[in-house]
Amino acid sequence: MTIKDAPEEWRVTATSTPFRGNKTSVRTDDVVMPDGTVVSRDYQVHPGSVAILALDDTGRVLVLRQYRHPVRQKLWEIPAGLLDVPGENPLHAAQRELYEEAHVKAEDWRVLTDVYTTPGGCDEAVRIFLARGLSEAEGERFEVSEEEADMELARVETAELVRGVLAGELHNNCLAVGVLALTAALAGDGVESLRPAEAPWPARPFES
């Protein structure tokens, strides 16, 4: 048996959108179950995101600390952002986010992994990139606001981040998935075996 996720879509008899926000909304679908019964499923509709595990030449990961109001915590995270434009190339979005949040550019980009953050209640898909060959971006820094105006930046050894994830001290989804995937890649066939930066992404199709 091949362990691989597969597309499938159960019949929806009715749908509504009881809430629309600035970037996301909530949808209610009436879904036909295998036994013929119909049940309601509420979920957040999300445009998708990109995240960047930026690894410097000394093996440190660029992380930032940001206040997240829903969980009432300041979390250490890797740079990330929304796919604001439908069909946007995720690599271009990732390059933009790395510049805006850290004023950094990278020479080498690869797909580290693709994940659904909360598939039981949200359709958000995230592509996590590995970025290497880091250097400071040219020009003026991007002017941040709101929660991002309070961000702290740091570079931390990968092993320390892995320790923090396993100890329950670091909770950001993309950071945890990213550093554990990087560790697995390094222990396996190496980062050169990772998918190219513009590999197909069925969850969020895009144009090159």
Side-chain angles (χ1 to χ4, degrees), residues 87-200:
E88 181 178 17
N89 187 312
L91 173 60
H92 300 167
Q95 291 168 333
R96 180 188 68 237
E97 292 298 333
L98 186 60
Y99 160 71
E100 291 182 357
E101 294 192 347
H103 200 67
V104 165
K105 63 180 181 179
E107 294 299 321
D108 184 79
W109 290 82
R110 298 172 191 273
V111 175
L112 189 52
T113 189
D114 299 323
V115 295
Y116 292 112
T117 55
T118 320
C122 179
D123 71 353
E124 181 184 13
V126 180
R127 169 155 281 187
I128 304 177
F129 289 91
L130 173 65
R132 297 183 299 166
L134 308 184
S135 61
E136 186 170 354
E138 295 89 358
E140 296 183 1
R141 286 185 171 271
F142 181 78
E143 187 174 344
V144 296
S145 61
E146 300 173 352
E147 289 93 341
E148 292 183 351
D150 189 50
M151 285 194 311
E152 305 169 47
L153 292 172
R155 296 193 183 199
V156 181
E157 296 287 342
T158 305
E160 175 59 19
L161 295 175
V162 171
R163 185 207 62 77
V165 169
L166 298 181
E169 298 169 357
L170 299 172
H171 306 90
N172 177 262
N173 181 291
C174 291
L175 184 149
V177 171
V179 299
L180 295 177
L182 174 63
T183 301
L186 292 172
D189 295 330
V191 297
E192 304 302 327
S193 68
L194 294 172
R195 287 172 291 160
E198 296 193 277

Side-chain angles (χ1 to χ4, degrees), residues 4 26 89 187:
K4 181 179 179 180
V26 173
N89 187 312

Side-chain angles (χ1 to χ4, degrees), residues 9-18 27-33 36-43:
E9 188 168 349
W10 292 0
R11 187 163 68 93
V12 174
T13 60
T15 187
S16 63
T17 305
R27 182 177 297 163
T28 299
D29 287 344
D30 292 340
V31 186
V32 180
M33 297 289 108
T37 60
V38 178
V39 300
S40 292
R41 291 289 179 261
D42 303 322
Y43 59 99

Side-chain angles (χ1 to χ4, degrees), residues 45-49 83 87-88 90 116 123-126 200-206:
V45 178
H46 193 286
S49 306
L83 290 168
E88 181 178 17
Y116 292 112
D123 71 353
E124 181 184 13
V126 180
W201 189 18
R204 293 294 185 273
F206 62 92

